[in-house]
Amino acid sequence: MGALRFEGREVPVLGDDTVASALYRAGVRTFTRSLKYHRRRSLYCGTGECPNCLVTVDGVPGVRSCITPAREDMRVERAHGWPSTERDLLHVTDRLHRLMPVGFYYKTFIRPRFAWPVAERLIRRATGLGRLPEDGTRQTPTARHLRTTVLVVGAGTAGLAAAVEAARAGERVVVCDEAPIGSRLAPGRTLDRVRALEAEIRALAEVQVLDRHAALGLYEGSFVPLAAEDELVQVRAERVVVATGATESHPVFPGNDLPGIWLGRAAARMVARHGVPIGERIVVAASTAEGMEHLSALVAAGANVIAAVVPASLGTEVPDGVETIVDGKLTSAQGRKAIAAVFVETSGGTRRISCDALVLSLGLAPRDVLVRMAVDEPVEVVGDASLGDQEPHLHEDGTLCLCEDVSLHDLRQAWDEGYRSSEILKRYTTATMGPCQGAMCGRALACAARNLEDVPASPAGASPAGARTTARPPARPVPLETLAAAVHEVIEKRTSLHEVHVAAGARLGWSGAWMRPFGYGDWHAEYRAVRERVSLMDVGTLGKFLVAGRDAAALVDRMFPTRIRDLEPGRSRYLLALDEGGFVMDDGLLCALHDGAFYLTSTSGGAARMDARLREWADLLGLHVHVLDRTAELGAINVAGPLARKVLELLCEDPLDADAFPYPGHREVVVAGVPCRAIRTGFVGELAFELHHPRSRGPELWAALMREGRTFDILPHGLDALELLRLEKGHLYLGQDTMPDDTPVKLGLSWAVDAGKEWFVGKPALERVASLPPSRRLFGLEFDGGPDDIAELRGMPITVEGAVVGRVTSAERSITLDRAIGLGWIRTTGDGFPTELRAGTAAARVVPTPLYDPEGVRVRG
Amino acid sequence: MALEVPCPHCGPRPFTEFAFGGEERPVEAADAEAEFARVYLPQNAAGPRRERWFHALGCRTWFTVTRDTTTNRID
């Protein structure tokens, strides 16, 4: 015999106890406090629908104790009220109704302005439904997909019967239920029938049973996500059978939320299944066959039922020894901490019956939320879920929405304020918007609105003001982490040299989806290694593509503005990619190969887009082309610096001199035994060879280069050094220095566009804007004064006499030039582009680029 | 979440595997005005329309389907 821990004491757990039944047996009567008035709330629905039994279990708040099996050593706490749920001083709000009318938080604490933040904090604390655990203690659920012919939601008699029928017809069937099959039924005929069907269905190979899986919603294409404790199952079914049954309807009358008032199922289960008495003097009000079963079950279990309020048609079924009150109407319940009396209106006048428990079975409310989510999905509704709407019991006042503490009186007041339909009544009063999501009160809200509208029913019987509010997912409460299970984790891309960088003490950081070294300790030293000696950089992140096939040249020619026809094999050229608006989308290098194919690179972040565009235009233009994305398959190391050739010559027997391998060109070479495509590049402004190699051989190639470079004081360099290296050359970074609507002219890249071509992607757009003077251009800048760290100027507005005319996009202090330099875009001021500017505290002026090695002698070296 | 796109190679797959390519449209237009309309003025019809999809996380094929924008039904 085990026990669970409840607020510091041991509570015994017997048989198949739920958390709620164990606590109730141990004398707990107040499970929660209501949201607004802090009224005591006790067990009510017993089927996981209402908010009354929410407790914190093992640090997880909002657990429905009435459907959660009790386990040994569970740690259970109540979450509501201050200082405790049992003695809640905030209960004083129940006496202050008039100070807190419906929607009071829209109307009060508005002035003075500082009042609201203070009040909001207090209100939030007063209404809180518990605290979330600070550290995620639960394991992140997994997600999986499931395809089936038929999905049956609900494993009661109707659902199981439908599943058996479909399986017998040879269809693949998935049956789900949020609870273990039959676990919520009191002993009786229904449970026997469920057990028989369950045995039948477990024997059928076509049926997959997913119990403890709650259906969260019904989406287009008959897509139903099922949430379990440890997984999210995304089911796609050809048709869906909704067999979610019905809940007992929630009657509204003054005092209807007092502890001691039970729905029939909760009472019958507590008494007949868990053997816990619910009172000494019990009154039952029933109008359904099921309610009569509950009455019999209570009496059979020895409960003292003193009176039964039933319709005349059921009067004969009341067991002996129970006073029968025929056709009585519940008008109110009274009591302080719990129910003490109930008032029943009969033909002979109103009777007061003193009691300590009231059991209600006054109609069924179909759980039709999934059905109402269906637009044109093939959905079949069976069993109690298919029952039509029954008029709920509404009388004068009382708590309509248990979650949000909204009374009929509140609804009337909101109606008088002009909120005259169920949808806006809902939004204004927050009725139906709590944890139960209208499971208890959705129908009652619609009915209340209909009553308030008080117009004769329209011919169709429809009342727009009293329509049911839109059903939306989730149909059942679900932790956000379960929903997030379907979202894939952050993808971290690494080059094959990642471990090498880590071992070298690199400072790694995000660059798009890639992890890249920003520096290895001293980026000034890295910069000097590039400018004065030799340095390595891992550029394996670049997009790398092979374009081959009969029409490879045609595709490249028509897709890019770059001049292709005179690009001889072995030569390469700066590549600009435009979209159809003529805007610069990406840049890279294009290498012509000897077999009519092309090898091209894109920016690291643009690789996926480049792949998509190459394939898109090959398809749209009907060209015979193969596009091979080699980005992941190849690594690349840039060997840069005036001594780069000297290092490579120690490892490579192929000719690398400027005559045999001129800039801009590329060669297939073998370096340290690794086959590489070497591309001479100019991004950093020095002699540089980019070695594209098989990814797996990156570490050995890097190690060989570092080893042979040691005599030249070789250093690797990271993105920080690169930032200055390229800026001194006036090379722009796509994205950092550009905007989404930059044409080549605006970036000073007109030279990279072959205007003589008949057509290329974006050419019609460029022609269209060619007649307009460019409104904005990217310029090289030089700064005087300004902050000590000149990089702080990045993002700063550029002004002329106080008027903003542009923005600094890059700024660094040049080491070689000993000047603060940058890039930025500037708007035309009518008579051309201004050249004398300010950026924050710095004076700025436009300078021609590149500032470093303007003739490009070093690159060609 | 629920939309499925029929890839000609891989069969129906969740739309999260695809990149949307916009309405199907001609590659070129007769004159500047038509070109402008081609690039910038999609029909955005309520109802069935032809549109381009790219199976980015699959076979990387571009294809055209007819999707009803009011019901999401793809034929």
Side-chain angles (χ1 to χ4, degrees), chain A residues 157-423:
Chain A
T157 47
L160 291 173
V164 169
E165 192 186 329
R168 289 266 151 81
E171 293 183 297
R172 260 191 314 159
V173 183
V174 172
V175 190
C176 71
D177 197 291
E178 61 176 337
I181 294 178
S183 67
R184 292 190 192 162
L185 293 171
R189 275 176 308 180
T190 312
L191 183 59
D192 297 341
R193 173 98 181 105
V194 164
R195 289 282 174 244
L197 283 165
E198 185 190 359
E200 196 172 344
I201 214 154
R202 299 260 184 208
L204 289 167
E206 294 86 351
V207 184
Q208 190 177 346
V209 179
L210 293 174
D211 56 4
R212 297 187 179 86
H213 284 69
L216 298 179
L218 180 76
Y219 295 82
E220 61 196 351
S222 292
F223 176 86
V224 180
L226 307 177
E229 194 170 359
D230 56 351
E231 67 170 354
L232 181 74
V233 186
Q234 305 180 44
V235 183
R236 197 173 287 278
E238 284 171 30
R239 63 189 177 91
V240 176
V241 177
V242 175
T244 42
T247 176
E248 287 181 298
S249 77
H250 165 60
V252 183
F253 53 88
N256 68 329
D257 65 336
L258 282 167
I261 298 183
W262 304 71
L263 289 183
R265 290 178 189 175
R269 266 185 40 176
M270 192 61 77
V271 172
R273 182 158 186 168
H274 300 300
V276 184
I278 59 167
E280 302 291 320
R281 295 172 55 78
I282 303 170
V283 175
V284 175
S287 67
T288 60
E290 183 189 331
M292 299 314 285
E293 273 189 45
H294 296 324
L295 174 57
S296 306
L298 288 171
V299 170
N304 181 31
V305 180
I306 55 169
V309 184
V310 295
S313 57
L314 297 172
T316 55
E317 294 180 31
V318 176
D320 293 339
V322 178
E323 185 194 350
T324 307
I325 301 171
V326 169
D327 287 336
K329 184 177 182 185
L330 291 186
T331 55
S332 68
Q334 269 184 356
R336 269 170 47 78
K337 280 180 147 183
I339 186 168
V342 58
F343 290 82
V344 183
E345 200 177 272
T346 63
S347 51
T350 302
R351 269 187 63 185
R352 179 184 189 280
I353 309 168
S354 68
C355 63
D356 56 3
L358 172 63
V359 177
L360 304 171
S361 281
L362 296 174
L364 290 174
R367 292 194 191 96
D368 58 357
V369 57
L370 290 177
V371 183
R372 290 189 295 129
M373 284 179 199
V375 182
D376 57 357
E377 285 72 25
V379 170
E380 190 188 338
V381 195
V382 298
D384 285 351
S386 66
L387 291 173
D389 273 342
Q390 302 183 13
E391 196 76 358
H393 178 103
L394 302 181
H395 184 74
E396 285 180 2
D397 199 1
T399 307
L400 178 113
C401 172
L402 290 167
C403 304
E404 302 285 302
D405 235 359
V406 180
S407 65
L408 275 180
H409 171 82
D410 291 334
L411 288 183
R412 269 197 292 274
Q413 191 176 331
W415 182 275
D416 290 342
E417 287 184 43
Y419 298 93
R420 297 195 171 176
S421 86
S422 51
E423 288 282 7

Side-chain angles (χ1 to χ4, degrees), chain A residues 145 147 219-221 223 225 234 236 376-377 545 558 580-583 608 611-617 619-621 629 759 764-765 768, chain B residues 1-4 12-14 19-21 25-28 32-33 35-36 38-40 52 54 56 59-64 71-73:
Chain A
H145 290 265
R147 221 169 245 286
Y219 295 82
E220 61 196 351
F223 176 86
Q234 305 180 44
R236 197 173 287 278
D376 57 357
E377 285 72 25
F545 301 91
R558 300 178 74 180
E580 286 183 282
F583 302 134
D611 179 58
R613 291 293 157 263
L614 285 166
R615 293 172 197 276
E616 180 179 29
W617 283 104
D619 185 55
L620 287 174
L621 298 171
D629 180 355
W759 188 87
R768 188 181 171 87
Chain B
M1 172 165 33
L3 181 63
E4 266 192 333
R13 303 290 304 170
F20 178 57
R25 49 187 188 169
V27 177
E28 289 181 73
E33 283 313 306
E35 170 68 14
F36 182 82
R38 185 187 75 82
V39 175
Y40 289 109
R52 305 275 295 162
F54 177 57
C59 61
R60 302 202 195 171
T61 300
W62 281 95
F63 54 93
T64 308
T71 64
N72 253 351
R73 190 172 298 248

Side-chain angles (χ1 to χ4, degrees), chain A residues 390-659:
Chain A
Q390 302 183 13
E391 196 76 358
H393 178 103
L394 302 181
H395 184 74
E396 285 180 2
D397 199 1
T399 307
L400 178 113
C401 172
L402 290 167
C403 304
E404 302 285 302
D405 235 359
V406 180
S407 65
L408 275 180
H409 171 82
D410 291 334
L411 288 183
R412 269 197 292 274
Q413 191 176 331
W415 182 275
D416 290 342
E417 287 184 43
Y419 298 93
R420 297 195 171 176
S421 86
S422 51
E423 288 282 7
I424 57 173
L425 280 173
K426 163 184 164 175
R427 283 154 180 76
Y428 187 59
T429 65
T430 68
T432 76
M433 288 164 68
C436 91
Q437 286 290 292
M440 303 303 298
C441 54
R443 257 184 203 80
L445 173 68
C447 178
R450 263 197 305 276
N451 295 346
L452 286 163
E453 191 177 24
D454 198 26
V455 293
S458 53
S463 157
R468 294 288 297 282
T469 54
T470 306
R472 293 189 180 86
R476 283 304 204 212
V478 58
L480 289 175
E481 62 189 343
T482 304
L483 298 181
V487 181
H488 297 288
E489 65 276 21
V490 177
I491 293 168
E492 179 185 321
K493 291 187 184 176
R494 297 174 173 185
T495 70
S496 65
L497 298 169
H498 186 83
E499 303 303 325
V500 175
H501 302 317
V502 171
R507 189 165 51 78
L508 291 152
W510 289 104
S511 174
W514 291 94
M515 264 297 166
R516 299 189 68 181
F518 278 71
Y520 297 82
D522 179 357
W523 74 265
H524 281 236
E526 295 166 23
Y527 166 89
R528 288 192 193 285
V530 179
R531 285 276 181 260
E532 294 161 16
R533 304 185 308 277
V534 58
S535 176
L536 301 184
M537 183 169 191
D538 178 3
V539 290
T541 61
L542 292 171
K544 300 174 278 291
F545 301 91
L546 182 70
V547 179
R550 199 176 63 210
D551 297 330
L555 175 66
V556 174
D557 185 56
R558 300 178 74 180
M559 216 187 118
F560 302 106
T562 311
R563 199 167 71 243
I564 310 293
R565 64 188 139 79
D566 60 348
L567 186 65
E568 290 164 13
R571 305 287 285 187
S572 44
R573 191 163 278 167
Y574 179 67
L575 185 73
L576 210 51
L578 306 181
D579 65 15
E580 286 183 282
F583 302 134
V584 175
M585 203 172 67
D586 208 347
D587 68 350
L589 272 180
L590 179 69
C591 304
L593 306 182
H594 283 279
D595 51 5
F598 292 85
Y599 181 70
L600 63 95
T601 64
S602 73
T603 57
S604 304
R609 189 177 45 197
M610 179 66 87
D611 179 58
R613 291 293 157 263
L614 285 166
R615 293 172 197 276
E616 180 179 29
W617 283 104
D619 185 55
L620 287 174
L621 298 171
L623 298 175
H624 190 280
V625 176
H626 300 287
V627 175
L628 185 61
D629 180 355
R630 307 195 69 186
T631 303
E633 174 196 355
L634 298 180
I637 297 169
N638 194 23
V639 188
L643 306 179
R645 188 181 283 121
K646 283 205 159 41
V647 175
L648 284 171
E649 278 170 348
L650 296 172
L651 293 162
C652 174
E653 290 174 5
D654 300 291
L656 299 171
D657 59 280
D659 291 334

